[in-house]
């Protein structure tokens, strides 16, 4: 059942990365059910289209953005396009992430380690860099980043993922302190 324009997020614009499945899709659907227009970012076009169908079925609306979050210039173009179309952003949910491989640190391929850092850390810095001006134009801008408890534990074989999420925790903490 849709709350449509009467929802708690009526008139708000929410961007969700990793929106094609899992937590990102569930959160985007919840935002749309509460009246937000959702900007859905993911690599998987089919997943975005399936989510768009669900959002329409609850009376919501979405803009689909097939984009790999590790495409830094693409993130910059997204920020510019959102400025042109909406002039602001009310919610940023940085959810996209990759696990990489669970392996002893010395066995992780450099390309895999770099991909995990690019998706889980660098992409979120690019999102902040590109979208912070839009969040500041909102009367109640919010940035939310999905991290993991593994970031605060030294668990064997989780090196790349845990390190990327620990770095994300610090990055987001610094961002929060800067905008407080």
């Amino acid at each position: 059942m849709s709350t449509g324009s009467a929802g708690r997020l009526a008139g708000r614009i929410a961007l969700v990365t990793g929106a094609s499945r899992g937590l990102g899709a569930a959160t985007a659907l919840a935002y749309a059910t509460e009246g937000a227009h959702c900007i859905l970012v993911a690599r998987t076009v089919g997943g975005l289209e399936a989510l768009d169908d669900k959002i329409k079925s609850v009376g919501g609306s979405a803009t689909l953005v097939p984009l790999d979050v590790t495409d830094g210039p693409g993130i910059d173009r997204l920020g510019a396009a959102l400025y042109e179309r909406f002039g602001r952003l009310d919610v940023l949910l940085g959810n996209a992430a990759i696990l990489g491989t669970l392996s002893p640190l010395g066995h992780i391929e450099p390309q895999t380690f770099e991909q995990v850092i690019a998706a889980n850390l660098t992409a979120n810095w690019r999102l902040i860099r590109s979208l912070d001006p839009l969040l500041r134009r909102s009367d109640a801008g919010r940035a939310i980043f999905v991290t993991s408890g593994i970031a605060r534990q030294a668990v064997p074989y989780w090196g790349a993922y845990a390190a990327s999420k620990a770095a994300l925790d610090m990055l987001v903490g610094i961002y929060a302190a800067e905008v407080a």
Side-chain angles (χ1 to χ4, degrees):
M1 173 179 225
S2 171
T3 56
S5 61
R8 293 177 291 173
L9 297 176
R12 297 293 182 180
I13 302 158
L15 185 144
V16 178
T17 67
S20 64
R21 63 180 184 255
L23 182 63
T27 304
L29 182 59
Y31 287 168
T33 299
E34 287 295 332
H37 176 78
C38 292
I39 298 149
L40 309 175
V41 179
R43 295 176 296 182
T44 311
V45 174
L48 290 174
E49 290 171 343
L51 178 56
D52 187 40
D53 290 343
K54 289 178 186 175
I55 287 173
K56 286 177 182 169
S57 77
V58 299
S61 65
T63 299
L64 309 185
V65 182
L67 177 68
D68 185 328
V69 294
T70 65
D71 175 359
I75 295 290
D76 293 345
R77 288 188 302 273
L78 175 61
L82 294 176
Y83 178 80
E84 289 298 317
R85 182 166 177 194
F86 301 108
R88 72 174 205 287
L89 181 65
D90 300 299
V91 179
L92 163 61
L93 175 60
N95 169 68
I98 59 172
L99 177 62
T101 185
L102 300 179
S103 176
L105 283 170
H107 296 188
I108 299 171
E109 292 294 328
Q111 180 182 4
T112 300
F113 190 88
E114 290 165 4
Q115 287 172 337
V116 171
I117 297 298
N120 300 357
L121 176 63
T122 307
N124 286 299
W125 166 73
R126 289 299 287 247
L127 287 164
I128 290 168
R129 182 178 178 275
S130 182
L131 303 178
D132 175 69
L134 294 170
L135 289 165
R136 290 175 185 267
R137 292 177 63 95
S138 171
D139 63 354
R142 298 289 186 266
I144 305 158
F145 296 89
V146 177
T147 185
S148 172
I150 200 77
R152 294 172 292 286
Q153 302 174 41
V155 179
Y157 314 118
W158 283 80
Y161 184 79
S164 73
K165 292 298 188 169
L168 178 61
D169 283 351
M170 184 57 69
L171 178 80
V172 170
I174 290 168
Y175 176 52
E178 290 174 352
V179 299

